[in-house]
Amino acid sequence: MYQNSELVMRSILIILFFMLCFVSAKSQKWQQGSFTDVKGNRETGLIRANPSGKGPIKGEGFIEFKENEKTNPYKLSASDLRSYVIGQDSFVVAHAPANESWTKEETDFVKVVLDEPVKLFMAKGGKGGGGSGFGITPGISAGYGSGGYGGGIGGGIGINLGGGGGRGGSSKTTYYYGETTAGMKRLTDENFEDIMSDIMGDEPDLVDQIHEHKYNLKSIDKLIAKFDELQKARQ
């Protein structure tokens, strides 16, 4: 009996190992996308959102870019860019809010989850707030949105932060809100009802459900999915 249990546990560990390898490989792959630099110039090609190694500038997240499969890649630090897009996933450059400290990079990328007048941003990792080593990998974690952002291509938003994917930080997801990243503030249990009602004001029935406490910060993914569904039905 003991041997059978040991074999089962070993099999589970092997499966988990290969799953982790798959996720790691996926996060490192090149994907079609574009970036917009600080001067407003846009380049389209292949982007690796979560590269390993050190970035060009200490304290900043970065991506890797190449025009096509045959060209040599180069690194772009967060301060070189305004935003980048991979498929339907949009990322913008952000600094740690004044009352927070990100663990690795104080300047990094956050994902635009909802592109409304008051926007919803997402970060992963970090002690006491956002964090770098973020790691919201495009196509793995799911998020939603109703529009492109930062001169990007395409609409809805997925989830996993740019800059340096596996470079450290916790797995905690942190949401921020604001008209721009410059004034973004953290979404909390205390302000959730007011802020999400404001962001989702175009959907009064959903706002009513927020006030009825059918959604909270722990179920925000379901709320975003429902909002996205309702918005698409209007198109």
Side-chain angles (χ1 to χ4, degrees):
M1 180 69 71
Y2 176 78
Q3 287 184 331
N4 288 338
S5 298
E6 189 177 48
L7 286 173
V8 170
M9 182 60 69
R10 185 177 298 174
S11 299
I12 292 172
L13 290 173
I14 291 172
I15 292 170
L16 288 173
F17 171 77
F18 283 109
M19 286 178 66
L20 288 171
C21 289
F22 171 77
V23 171
S24 176
K26 190 175 180 65
S27 67
Q28 292 290 322
K29 77 175 185 178
W30 292 93
Q31 300 179 74
Q32 287 288 340
S34 68
F35 71 81
T36 301
D37 66 20
V38 291
K39 296 181 179 180
N41 301 312
R42 180 180 161 193
E43 295 287 340
T44 300
L46 296 171
I47 291 175
R48 185 154 59 184
N50 297 311
S52 58
K54 294 183 178 180
I57 300 176
K58 185 178 180 180
E60 293 190 8
F62 68 101
I63 62 171
E64 287 185 321
F65 176 84
K66 57 184 179 180
E67 293 181 1
N68 55 59
E69 292 287 359
K70 297 181 179 179
T71 56
N72 292 324
Y74 56 91
K75 297 176 180 180
L76 290 163
S77 195
S79 61
D80 297 323
L81 306 173
R82 292 182 183 175
S83 61
Y84 74 89
V85 175
I86 294 178
Q88 293 186 335
D89 298 343
S90 298
F91 303 84
V92 292
V93 175
H95 302 278
N99 62 338
E100 297 191 14
S101 178
W102 290 347
T103 54
K104 291 290 185 179
E105 283 76 26
E106 288 295 297
T107 302
D108 213 321
F109 305 97
V110 293
K111 178 164 280 189
V112 185
V113 183
L114 293 174
D115 188 8
E116 301 298 313
V118 175
K119 296 171 176 57
L120 185 66
F121 306 103
M122 180 181 174
K124 243 188 177 181
K127 297 179 180 178
S132 184
F134 285 150
I136 295 186
T137 305
I140 294 180
S141 299
Y144 309 84
S146 57
Y149 189 87
I153 50 176
I157 311 301
I159 296 286
N160 176 29
L161 287 179
R167 293 199 305 276
S170 72
S171 60
K172 181 179 179 181
T173 298
T174 306
Y175 288 90
Y176 296 95
Y177 65 92
E179 295 182 3
T180 67
T181 56
M184 68 183 188
K185 298 178 181 179
R186 189 200 284 232
L187 186 67
T188 65
D189 290 323
E190 289 74 23
N191 63 29
F192 179 87
E193 185 174 319
D194 289 338
I195 299 304
M196 295 310 296
S197 294
D198 186 17
I199 292 175
M200 299 184 170
D202 289 342
E203 300 296 340
D205 290 342
L206 200 54
V207 170
D208 287 343
Q209 292 179 40
I210 293 172
H211 287 296
E212 292 166 1
H213 306 122
K214 292 184 177 179
Y215 297 99
N216 55 37
L217 194 55
K218 291 182 179 180
S219 60
I220 190 172
D221 55 338
K222 295 179 181 178
L223 175 61
I224 295 169
K226 186 61 178 179
F227 179 76
D228 187 57
E229 178 186 323
L230 294 171
Q231 290 283 287
K232 288 180 178 178
R234 289 177 178 271
Q235 297 175 2

